[in-house]
Amino acid sequence: MLFDTHVHLNAEQYNEDLEEVILRAQNEGVTNMVVVGFDRPTIQRAMELTERYEFIYACVGWHPVDAIDMTDEDLVWIEELASHPKVVAIGEMGLDYHWDKSPKEIQKEVFRKQIRLAKKVKLPIVIHNREATADIVEILAEERAEEVGGIMHCFSGSPEVARKCVEMNFYISLGGPVTFKNARKPKEVAAEIPLDKLLIETDCPYLAPHPYRGKRNEPGYVKLVAEEIAEIKGLTFAEVAEATTRNAKKCFAIN
Ligand SMILES: [Zn+2]
């Protein structure tokens, strides 16, 4: 059994063949996945998928790149959705300094508002970080995000930062990049962070693992991420699959 903790099956890249993609994932042993919505249309679509598939859960929030577009009504809507039994986390939220659509100050404000909302509804948070590690760690600490904890999604930082995040009650989720030959940091993180703090994800349709790098990603490929972690840690595939599934269920409070 495999738990893909971060998928975007709500993306238009799956409009043509969603059923087949899901079937392939099940054939590879994927038993659960969390579809992440990060604006109005993708949240709406994530909720539809939870209604249609028993093994699909949703994470709802607002992406930092689009922070400038988030209204108070959007935040109220996310809060309403949080009580839905299949909404298991708030996000993806965070900071993205790679793109400049939303000014940093607005990103930080929208990030803080969502952390406060997650604490109010008592759900874990899913963090998107691009080139903003120091500010993310500072805001998580200031907002006492450890009360809800959550996931550092597609973590690409150093083992030192990973350890700091674990201390703040966050799981470290590794994706396709851990399989890339030149990915030194994700491999170090896989080696050094204890298995009970690791999760696996695809972030599909993005970041396909080796040997599919550059192609459309899909949840079935999460198996390659688990295999790589097993190899790095000197464990069996079954041990990694079982532990990361258990961790994900604990994080999302899924029985
Ligand atoms: Zn994502």
Side-chain angles (χ1 to χ4, degrees):
M1 50 157 88
L2 293 160
F3 196 132
D4 190 343
T5 60
H6 198 111
V7 304
H8 297 284
L9 289 182
N10 44 356
E12 60 184 12
Q13 283 90 335
Y14 303 104
N15 284 354
E16 303 297 315
D17 61 349
L18 181 67
E19 294 289 335
E20 291 141 66
V21 167
I22 288 177
L23 214 59
R24 277 200 293 274
Q26 291 182 305
N27 289 338
E28 293 292 348
V30 178
T31 50
N32 298 93
M33 36 188 135
V34 172
V35 175
V36 181
F38 51 71
D39 61 12
R40 283 255 166 193
T42 58
I43 290 172
Q44 197 72 60
R45 179 81 178 128
M47 296 309 297
E48 286 166 20
L49 291 174
T50 67
E51 306 287 341
R52 204 153 104 208
Y53 299 97
E54 175 260 324
F55 49 87
I56 287 184
Y57 297 83
C59 169
V60 298
W62 212 266
H63 203 283
V65 169
D66 303 317
I68 197 164
D69 301 327
M70 195 189 82
T71 64
D72 291 343
E73 291 73 38
D74 292 327
L75 200 64
V76 168
W77 183 51
I78 290 168
E79 183 173 345
E80 285 165 7
L81 290 174
S83 62
H84 188 288
K86 293 192 86 179
V87 170
V88 293
I90 304 296
E92 55 189 293
M93 63 173 82
L95 301 173
D96 190 318
Y97 293 167
H98 184 76
W99 305 107
D100 54 13
K101 177 183 168 185
S102 299
K104 287 182 182 179
E105 287 316 308
I106 291 177
Q107 289 194 34
K108 288 179 182 176
E109 193 186 310
V110 165
F111 184 23
R112 286 182 192 274
K113 280 182 180 170
Q114 292 185 85
I115 297 172
R116 289 171 197 167
L117 165 62
K119 287 168 72 174
K120 189 174 164 192
V121 300
K122 296 187 168 59
L123 283 177
I125 59 181
V126 173
I127 306 296
H128 171 102
N129 169 22
R130 194 156 180 202
E131 298 162 22
T133 302
D135 286 355
I136 291 221
V137 170
E138 184 182 291
I139 289 173
L140 290 176
E142 282 177 7
E143 296 292 334
R144 293 181 220 271
E146 77 273 4
E147 282 175 32
V148 284
I151 301 173
M152 304 306 290
H153 134 67
C154 204
F155 188 81
S156 61
S158 65
E160 292 68 37
V161 174
R163 273 193 290 271
K164 196 176 278 180
C165 294
V166 167
E167 277 169 28
M168 289 194 293
N169 196 21
F170 281 80
Y171 286 90
I172 306 299
S173 185
L174 294 172
V178 76
T179 68
F180 299 166
K181 294 265 178 291
N182 57 353
R184 190 174 50 86
K185 281 196 285 181
K187 289 184 199 296
E188 286 174 7
V189 167
E192 293 184 33
I193 297 302
L195 186 58
D196 67 348
K197 292 296 171 189
L198 288 180
L199 298 174
I200 53 174
E201 65 172 82
T202 54
D203 197 21
C204 66
Y206 318 106
L207 293 170
H210 177 77
Y212 303 107
R213 191 172 182 176
K215 302 219 166 68
R216 184 187 70 167
N217 199 358
E218 57 178 71
Y221 298 167
V222 79
K223 186 178 186 181
L224 298 164
V225 175
E227 283 173 351
E228 180 69 26
I229 295 172
E231 166 103 21
I232 290 169
K233 284 192 163 313
L235 299 169
T236 64
F237 168 76
E239 284 170 320
V240 172
E242 195 261 332
T244 51
T245 297
R246 179 163 17 95
N247 298 344
K249 288 184 173 175
K250 189 173 167 197
C251 178
F252 296 125
I254 294 170
N255 294 316

